[in-house]
């Protein structure tokens, strides 16, 4: 090919790839614009403090759904974080030969399982034996979703802790478990927190597994063994309904949810900002 | 480093506070929470009732999720809820599968309307065979001569008909398909009646809410919804020709007229179909909707709360319905229901004291 | 706990060492037991999931056998279930999504790793990460109120009148349907394809690029010949990962696909995917066989996504890229 033709192709391809990057980013901007445009006007104090009103009556808010999401995330974290972090430490530190490979593989498998399937699992394992929909079932489903993320991130971050630190501690006679708990983990803390925040951002937005576990509740939560409202559930219910007022509230709910999720991700980034220039 | 620590402590405090509030909510709260699920058909009136009832008895809260009659039937069978709700009566096999005897307690009467979305908002009327053939997919355009025949003088657009049906297990579907099975042999053979059927054509919407939502947003759409949903969303509720050959408007009166015949011969378990009844003023697609409760309640406090609510619903609750165009229970039926409620027991003893 | 810096570090470590010499041995053993238990818990959960689902799906498997995969009828009244329309809908929506997302995604990944000036990379990568964080239900909301009406009023009529001779673009413009589902899925899948592709491209050794440049190749030719070709299997892995994600996506699809279990050649027609059917009908399956059939659909979905994901990871790993758990 002639030199000029090659240069033209080169420039064109450069522009095309730039174009794809712009096109990819466009929907995000569109969605955010719509969210703010449609939802911002409905997000007022009422929205954060009131309960939903009966069908067809305007007004009311999503206070119980917002709190419900926070509770479900908290519950999932109580169940999933200890398992995930300890499991991640296992993968990074254990001397066992075959089990870590199996665990790593299974974690990756679990990561790819659609959340609705995890919802089926939680229904069969928690809802049916307890004979009720509950916050516990919802929290369990979310914990199963967050587990592999926390596990793998913890493993990665623990591996990144320099061997020299470990060796120095061991050389001084500190038992291995103390080395891990008091030296390795604190050093990897920022990275682990990133993994935690990312997994929280992920589960806060999950709807499918909550459909038949947490079930939804038009009133305030009443203990862990009762159904509980959740923001994504409420958004879904309102979005497919015909009432215009509910549509407005769905947009507002989506805006609040996105803000919550983005803040989580943002926090994760800020926490790792300074910390990683050294260790990477 | 410091930022991380502060963040960690803050998060911990927030979560701890939330979880404590959950525990607090569970133990100290004097409120009893009753969970129910099922039909979307009566959801507008049920949500009004449950809201009003908190003023009548502040110690109880009813949490109702409108997931469709199929869901109501399933969840009460699994006992994952305290009561179910359905507008399609349970079949004998379904009743057999339940761990205890289930009562069908009628609460209100409602009408299913063939709502549609056409620009210019023409007032249409429908004949039974027309509806069957539209939903069978045999009539595909709005300006079909058969539609024009029943609507002389109305300008019909040359638009494709977009059929919308339920994607979830629905009592409203049961009422609709029950009616179509009665007026169309072809429908009865090809599709049949049920809470969830094999639809020949159409889009699926979730709940009465989903169907009305779809019809409202798609010009040319037609769907079947409970009257309250059409009214609340400014969708038309067209006249349908009834068994006696008269075109009847869905309303409280025509729904009540539909129940008149059945009221005289009410079966003791209240499972009766009101579609296509005789009578000049009867609207042909009406039905009772039932709350499904176990005869033998598992929990004394919940059982008592349930029967008190049921009693309130069939008496005081009936006055909230005119706004939403549900028809009240005929008085003789209400008397029979009273007797049924008295049969609800806890450990063999009736929960409602004799009045 | 541990402050970096020579003497201070040494002193605090020493302090630790002296205070813990006694509890060393059994502490170690206990700790090792604890972390192994955590790992086994994960094993238990995954095994439990598989076992529970197989047990629950058995009645349906026994009743329908292989015909479940090939029958089109989904009839709860007659209690006859065939998952073919669901499988069709899942595959078609996913393939449509990939057709849109793969060129855009790989193009954007190439841009970010090879073409873009360094000041542009962070903001765009940041935006891409944000895109991955948007929950499905919010995409669905946007799909129902913005995308579907736009398709119904502008795009589908236009496509119908110009390309209507193709069976792909026939039928009334509902707005919701396969096309809407494909587009929403594409938007949701693109960030993952970009993230993994970028990793894969960055893993290509610079020596490859330098060799091509030394031979006088333009930047595009370098990318095409040295980088893309080398990373081919890894990029395929990225695509497969996107596929895995698209197959399992539930909420956004449920809100825009039309919920009709039927096979149609047209993109305008409504359809149904395995995940959305489960979401719509699970809480309401009135008979045991119905519920079992739904769980069998879930099992099918599980198996397919696991296989696709495993294949994807293998391919990505073979090029030296990594699929970070964090990204997903």
């Amino acid at each position: 090919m002639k030199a000029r033709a090659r240069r033209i192709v080169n420039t064109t391809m450069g522009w095309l790839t730039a174009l794809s990057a712009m096109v990819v980013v466009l929907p995000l901007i569109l969605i955010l614009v719509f969210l703010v445009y449609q939802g911002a006007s409905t997000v007022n104090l009422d929205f954060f403090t009131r309960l939903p009103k009966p069908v067809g009556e305007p007004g009311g808010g999503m206070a119980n759904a917002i709190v419900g999401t926070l509770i479900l995330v908290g519950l999932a974290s109580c169940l999933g974080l200890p398992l995930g972090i300890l499991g991640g430490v296992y993968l990074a530190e254990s001397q066992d030969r075959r089990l870590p490979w199996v665990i790593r593989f299974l974690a990756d498998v679990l990561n790819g399982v659609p959340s609705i399937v995890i919802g089926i699992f939680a229904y069969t394992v928690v809802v049916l034996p307890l004979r009720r929909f509950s916050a516990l079932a919802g929290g369990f489903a979310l914990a199963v979703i967050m587990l592999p993320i926390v596990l793998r991130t913890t493993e990665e971050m623990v591996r990144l802790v320099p061997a020299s630190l470990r060796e120095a501690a061991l050389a001084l006679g500190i038992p291995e478990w103390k080395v891990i708990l008091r030296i390795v983990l604190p050093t990897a803390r920022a990275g682990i927190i990133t993994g935690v925040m990312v997994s929280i951002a992920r589960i806060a937005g999950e709807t499918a597994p909550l459909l038949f576990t947490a079930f939804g509740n038009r009133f305030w939560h009443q203990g862990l063994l009762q159904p509980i409202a959740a923001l994504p559930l409420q958004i879904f219910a309102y979005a497919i309904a015909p009432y215009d007022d509910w549509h407005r509230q769905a947009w507002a709910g989506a805006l609040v949810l996105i803000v919550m999720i983005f803040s989580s991700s943002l926090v994760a980034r800020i926490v790792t900002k300074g910390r990683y220039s050294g260790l990477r | 480093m410091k930022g991380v620590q502060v963040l960690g402590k803050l998060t911990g405090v927030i979560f701890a506070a939330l979880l404590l509030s959950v525990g607090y909510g569970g133990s100290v709260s004097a409120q009893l929470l009753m969970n129910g699920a099922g039909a979307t058909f009566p959801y507008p009136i049920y949500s009004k009732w449950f809201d009003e009832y908190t003023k009548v008895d502040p110690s109880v809260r009813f949490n109702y999720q409108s997931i469709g009659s199929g869901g109501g039937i399933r969840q009460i069978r699994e006992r994952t809820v305290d009561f179910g709700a359905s507008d399609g009566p349970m079949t004998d096999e379904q009743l057999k599968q339940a761990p205890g005897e289930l009562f069908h307690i009628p609460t209100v009467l409602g009408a299913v309307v063939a709502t549609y979305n056409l620009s210019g908002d023409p007032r249409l009327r429908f004949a039974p065979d027309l509806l069957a053939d539209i939903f069978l997919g045999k009539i595909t355009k709005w300006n079909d001569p058969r539609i024009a025949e029943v609507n002389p003088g109305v300008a019909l657009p040359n638009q494709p008909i977009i059929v919308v049906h339920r994607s979830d297990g629905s009592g409203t579907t049961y009422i609709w398909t029950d009616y179509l099975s009665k007026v169309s042999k072809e429908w009865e053979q090809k599709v049949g009646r049920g809470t969830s059927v094999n639809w020949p054509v159409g889009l699926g919407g979730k709940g009465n809410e989903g169907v009305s939502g779809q019809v409202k947003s798609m010009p040319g759409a037609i769907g079947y919804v409970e009257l309250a949903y059409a009214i609340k969303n400014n969708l038309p509720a067209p006249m349908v020709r009834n068994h006696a050959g008269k075109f009847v408007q869905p309303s409280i009166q025509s729904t009540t007229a539909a129940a008149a015949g059945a009221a005289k011969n009410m079966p003791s378990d209240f499972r009766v179909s009101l579609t296509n009844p005789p009578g000049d003023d009867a609207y042909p697609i009406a039905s009772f909707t039932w709350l499904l409760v176990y005869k033998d309640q598992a929990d004394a406090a919940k059982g008592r709360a349930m029967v008190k609510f049921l009693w309130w619903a069939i008496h005081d609750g009936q006055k909230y319905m005119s706004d939403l165009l549900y028809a009240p229970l005929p008085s003789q039926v209400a008397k029979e229901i009273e007797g049924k409620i008295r049969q609800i027991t806890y450990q063999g003893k009736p929960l409602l004291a004799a009045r | 706990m541990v402050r970096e810096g020579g003497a201070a570090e040494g002193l605090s470590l020493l302090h630790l060492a002296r205070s813990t010499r006694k509890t060393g041995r059994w502490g170690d053993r206990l700790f090792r037991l604890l972390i192994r238990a955590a790992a086994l818990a994960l094993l238990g959960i995954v095994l439990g999931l598989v076992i529970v689902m197989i047990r629950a799906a058995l009645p349906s498997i026994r009743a329908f056998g292989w015909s479940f995969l090939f029958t089109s009828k989904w009839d709860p009244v007659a209690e006859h279930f065939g998952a073919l329309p669901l499988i069709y809908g899942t595959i078609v929506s996913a393939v449509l999504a990939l057709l849109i997302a793969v060129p855009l995604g790989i193009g954007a990944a190439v841009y970010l790793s090879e073409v873009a000036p360094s000041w542009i990379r962070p903001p765009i990568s940041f935006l891409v990460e944000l895109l991955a964080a948007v929950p499905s239900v919010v995409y669905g909301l946007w799909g129902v109120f913005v995308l579907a009406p736009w398709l119904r009023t502008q795009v589908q009529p236009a496509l119908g009148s110009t390309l209507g001779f193709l069976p792909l673009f026939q039928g009334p413009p509902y707005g919701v349907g396969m096309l809407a589902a494909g587009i929403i899925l594409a938007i949701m899948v693109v960030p993952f394809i970009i993230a993994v592709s970028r990793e894969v491209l960055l893993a290509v050794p610079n020596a490859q690029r330098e060799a091509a440049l030394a031979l006088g190749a333009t930047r595009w030719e370098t990318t095409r010949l040295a980088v893309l070709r080398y990373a081919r299997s890894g990029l395929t892995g990225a695509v497969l990962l996107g596929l895995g994600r698209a197959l399992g996506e539930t909420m956004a699809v449920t809100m825009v696909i039309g919920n009709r279990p039927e096979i149609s050649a047209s993109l305008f027609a409504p359809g149904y995917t395995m995940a959305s059917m489960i979401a719509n009908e699970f809480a309401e399956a009135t008979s045991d066989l119905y519920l079992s059939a739904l769980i069998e659909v879930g099992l099918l979905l599980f198996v397919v996504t696991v296989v696709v994901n495993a294949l994807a990871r293998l391919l990505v790993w073979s090029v030296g890229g990594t699929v970070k758990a964090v990204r997903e």
Side-chain angles (χ1 to χ4, degrees):
Chain A
M1 253 209 288
K2 286 215 186 81
R4 222 182 70 194
R6 287 170 60 204
R7 242 176 291 148
I8 293 178
V9 168
N10 187 44
T11 329
T12 320
M13 291 315 293
W15 280 110
L16 272 184
T17 54
L19 191 66
S20 2
M22 298 304 150
V23 167
V24 159
V25 164
L26 186 70
L28 177 73
I29 301 181
L30 275 179
I31 291 175
L32 289 180
V33 161
F34 261 98
L35 273 183
V36 173
Y37 175 63
Q38 299 272 25
S41 49
T42 320
V43 178
N44 49 22
L45 196 62
D46 265 2
F47 185 78
F48 282 102
T49 52
R50 294 214 177 188
L51 293 175
K53 283 226 166 156
V55 165
E57 291 181 28
M62 284 200 189
N64 58 342
I66 296 174
V67 171
T69 291
L70 291 174
I71 290 179
L72 283 171
V73 167
L75 196 55
S77 305
C78 285
L79 297 170
L81 287 186
L83 273 184
I85 294 180
L86 286 176
V89 167
Y90 173 82
L91 286 181
E93 299 285 330
S94 164
Q95 311 288 9
D96 292 347
R97 282 199 301 139
R98 294 247 304 272
L99 193 55
W101 184 88
V102 171
I103 301 294
R104 214 169 280 132
F105 174 71
L106 289 180
D108 288 342
V109 163
L110 196 55
N111 211 355
V113 173
S115 56
I116 187 120
V117 173
I118 295 182
I120 297 179
F121 179 49
Y123 178 78
T124 327
V125 160
V126 184
V127 174
L128 282 185
L130 287 182
R131 294 245 157 269
R132 59 199 349 175
F133 294 108
S134 59
L136 192 63
F140 175 77
L142 294 182
V144 170
I145 296 177
M146 97 190 294
L147 188 58
I149 303 177
V150 174
L151 194 88
R152 293 294 249 125
T153 327
T154 309
E155 182 199 353
E156 242 179 88
M157 296 305 153
V158 167
R159 273 186 199 282
L160 280 177
V161 172
S164 52
L165 205 56
R166 257 180 264 249
E167 286 161 10
L170 289 170
L172 285 167
I174 304 177
E176 215 182 329
W177 68 276
K178 270 240 161 138
V179 172
I180 295 177
L181 231 45
R182 304 284 213 99
I183 297 171
V184 173
L185 277 186
T187 315
R189 178 159 48 189
I192 297 179
I193 291 185
T194 310
V196 168
M197 292 314 258
V198 167
S199 65
I200 284 180
R202 162 94 191 263
I203 61 175
E206 285 287 346
T207 321
L210 296 179
L211 286 173
F212 25 87
T213 49
F215 198 51
N217 190 335
R218 291 189 75 78
F219 303 107
W220 287 111
H221 58 274
Q222 291 216 303
L224 291 176
L225 290 178
Q226 294 286 354
I228 193 169
L231 204 46
L233 279 182
Q234 200 84 302
I235 297 173
F236 177 59
Y238 279 14
I240 57 177
Y243 312 106
D244 286 325
D245 190 57
W246 279 16
H247 291 173
R248 275 193 295 274
Q249 297 213 3
W251 282 110
L255 185 60
V256 171
L257 185 62
I258 284 259
V259 166
M260 280 168 68
I261 291 179
F262 281 4
S263 337
S264 264
S265 306
L266 209 71
V267 162
R269 284 192 137 246
I270 294 177
V271 159
T272 42
K273 207 101 183 150
R275 282 241 113 226
Y276 274 95
S277 33
L279 278 177
R280 272 260 163 138
Chain B
M1 204 53 183
K2 214 157 190 203
V4 174
Q5 286 177 323
V6 168
L7 180 76
K9 289 199 174 77
L10 193 65
T11 323
V13 167
I14 294 178
F15 278 153
L18 281 172
L19 284 176
L20 273 174
S21 78
V22 172
Y24 176 84
S27 56
V28 181
S29 160
Q31 270 184 350
L32 183 65
L33 184 69
M34 301 284 289
N35 290 305
T40 60
F41 178 96
Y43 187 46
I45 183 66
Y46 283 177
S47 75
K48 182 87 189 147
W49 275 356
F50 296 135
D51 194 57
E52 289 293 325
Y53 196 70
T54 58
K55 301 179 198 144
V56 170
D57 185 356
S59 71
V60 185
R61 281 212 184 279
F62 284 82
N63 173 32
Y64 182 79
Q65 295 294 322
S66 72
I67 58 175
S69 302
I73 294 175
R74 169 134 213 120
Q75 300 308 327
I76 188 66
R77 221 189 75 197
E78 300 285 347
R79 290 197 110 122
T80 42
V81 292
D82 301 313
F83 63 95
S86 169
D87 1 279
M90 290 175 71
T91 62
D92 289 329
E93 296 107 76
Q94 285 170 337
L95 282 172
K96 252 186 251 148
Q97 284 171 340
E101 188 182 347
L102 271 172
F103 278 171
H104 286 72
I105 307 281
T107 49
V108 298
L109 282 162
V112 179
V113 305
T115 194
Y116 54 90
N117 179 345
L118 282 178
S119 58
D121 206 17
R123 297 267 149 227
L124 294 182
R125 330 187 285 186
F126 290 100
D129 52 302
L130 211 59
L131 288 174
D133 287 342
I134 290 177
F135 277 80
L136 277 170
K138 287 163 71 175
I139 299 182
T140 54
K141 284 246 158 124
W142 280 106
N143 59 355
D144 191 285
R146 288 176 61 193
I147 303 182
E149 199 182 11
V150 184
N151 291 283
V154 179
L156 294 167
N158 182 14
Q159 245 183 322
I161 301 183
I162 301 180
V163 171
V164 183
H165 55 72
R166 293 283 290 269
S167 62
D168 51 332
S170 153
T172 318
T173 298
Y174 181 85
I175 302 168
W176 185 253
T177 53
D178 180 50
Y179 171 69
L180 288 183
S181 297
K182 285 187 184 168
V183 302
S184 164
K185 271 267 165 292
E186 193 181 349
W187 182 274
E188 188 172 26
Q189 282 163 354
K190 267 179 115 171
V191 187
R193 56 169 64 81
T195 53
S196 203
V197 300
N198 198 4
W199 295 96
V201 290
L203 292 178
K206 195 166 167 58
N208 265 298
E209 302 92 338
V211 173
S212 18
Q214 300 244 29
V215 171
K216 195 169 173 185
S217 61
M218 286 194 292
I222 183 171
Y224 59 91
V225 295
E226 207 285 327
L227 182 56
Y229 287 88
I231 301 298
K232 280 274 172 182
N233 291 291
N234 290 320
L235 290 170
M239 295 198 266
V240 179
R241 196 170 61 205
N242 66 8
H243 191 77
K246 300 260 186 320
F247 283 96
V248 181
Q249 185 77 33
S251 67
I252 297 183
Q253 296 92 316
S254 56
T255 310
T256 314
K264 293 191 206 107
N265 302 318
M266 184 66 77
S268 65
D269 63 356
F270 298 113
R271 288 188 296 158
V272 65
S273 157
L274 297 180
T275 51
N276 212 27
D280 277 358
D281 304 316
Y283 181 71
I285 324 176
S287 174
F288 281 116
T289 184
W290 297 271
L291 281 178
L292 306 167
V293 293
Y294 280 100
K295 171 173 196 285
D296 224 341
Q297 290 286 307
D299 177 291
K302 285 194 170 182
R304 227 172 296 128
M306 194 73 232
V307 296
K308 278 171 68 183
F309 173 76
L310 287 174
W311 194 269
W312 178 88
I314 63 171
H315 296 112
D316 292 329
Q318 303 284 309
K319 63 177 184 253
Y320 292 101
M321 299 195 306
S322 52
D323 201 25
L324 296 165
L325 296 182
Y326 291 93
L329 299 166
S331 46
Q332 48 200 129
V333 179
K335 279 252 163 336
E336 290 170 42
I337 301 174
E338 284 180 7
K340 202 78 180 186
I341 297 179
R342 291 222 178 84
Q343 288 178 29
I344 299 177
T345 59
Y346 171 67
Q347 294 185 342
K349 289 215 285 267
L351 280 161
L352 206 58
R355 290 202 180 190
Chain C
M1 187 69 228
V2 178
R3 298 275 177 272
E4 256 134 311
E9 187 179 50
L11 276 177
S12 48
L13 281 178
L14 213 55
H15 174 77
L16 256 182
R18 290 210 183 106
S19 64
T20 61
R21 215 167 316 197
K22 282 186 210 143
T23 54
R25 231 5 105 67
W26 63 260
D28 262 348
R29 229 174 277 160
L30 193 65
F31 186 71
R32 245 177 261 147
L33 210 69
L34 191 66
I35 59 177
R36 193 175 296 147
L40 287 174
L42 180 78
L43 179 69
I45 288 177
V46 178
L47 279 184
L49 192 129
V50 174
I51 293 176
V52 155
M53 290 200 63
I54 294 183
R55 275 240 310 259
L58 266 183
S60 173
I61 298 176
R62 269 193 277 242
F64 304 115
W66 286 109
S67 74
F68 191 73
L69 297 175
F70 302 115
T71 324
S72 281
K73 227 158 81 113
W74 188 269
D75 192 344
V77 172
E79 289 222 318
H80 194 98
F81 301 106
L84 191 61
L86 305 176
I87 299 174
Y88 175 82
T90 311
I91 293 181
V92 169
S93 57
V95 166
L96 184 59
L98 285 183
L99 282 176
I100 303 174
V102 167
L104 288 178
I106 296 193
V110 165
Y111 180 70
L112 284 175
S113 74
E114 311 283 325
V115 177
S118 51
W119 57 268
I120 257 196
R121 286 177 210 201
I124 298 212
S125 332
F126 176 64
L127 286 177
V128 169
E129 263 180 53
L130 282 188
L131 206 59
V134 173
S136 182
V137 72
V138 174
Y139 278 117
L141 191 65
W142 182 78
V144 166
F145 292 131
V146 179
L147 184 67
W150 179 61
L151 285 179
R152 185 182 65 239
T153 50
Q154 319 275 16
V155 177
Q156 283 179 347
L159 282 175
S161 52
T162 51
L163 297 170
F165 56 89
L166 290 171
L168 272 183
F169 299 114
Q170 284 173 356
Y174 295 109
V176 295
M178 201 53 85
L179 187 60
I183 294 179
I184 285 260
L185 274 180
I187 299 177
M188 296 178 74
V189 154
V190 120
F192 295 95
I193 295 187
I194 293 181
V196 178
S197 301
R198 245 186 94 207
E199 294 285 327
V200 165
L201 292 176
L202 285 176
V204 172
N206 262 330
Q208 297 278 328
R209 294 185 182 86
E210 286 161 11
L213 286 171
L215 288 168
T218 64
R219 190 186 54 205
W220 166 244
E221 284 163 356
T222 313
T223 309
R224 185 166 61 101
L225 297 168
V227 179
L228 288 179
R229 193 164 294 180
Y230 186 95
R232 206 170 23 196
S233 42
L235 290 177
T236 315
V239 168
L240 280 182
L241 218 70
L243 178 66
R245 187 85 210 286
L247 292 173
E249 195 34 69
T250 315
M251 298 318 291
V253 175
T254 309
M255 290 161 92
V256 300
I257 198 163
N259 301 333
R260 188 175 168 69
E262 193 182 61
I263 298 179
S264 165
S266 168
L267 288 181
F268 291 176
Y272 225 167
T273 63
M274 296 192 269
S276 23
M277 169 168 272
I278 299 174
N280 273 327
E281 305 199 2
F282 193 80
E284 319 157 346
T286 42
S287 71
D288 282 333
L289 190 61
Y290 193 177
L291 191 70
S292 183
L294 284 176
I295 298 187
E296 191 182 344
V297 172
L299 191 63
L300 209 61
L301 187 61
F302 173 73
V303 167
V304 168
T305 42
V306 166
V307 166
V308 167
N309 273 308
L311 217 65
R313 279 171 195 277
L314 204 67
L315 285 173
V316 170
W317 170 80
S318 73
V319 197
T322 46
V323 182
K324 292 213 170 55
V326 172
R327 301 268 188 237
E328 294 175 273

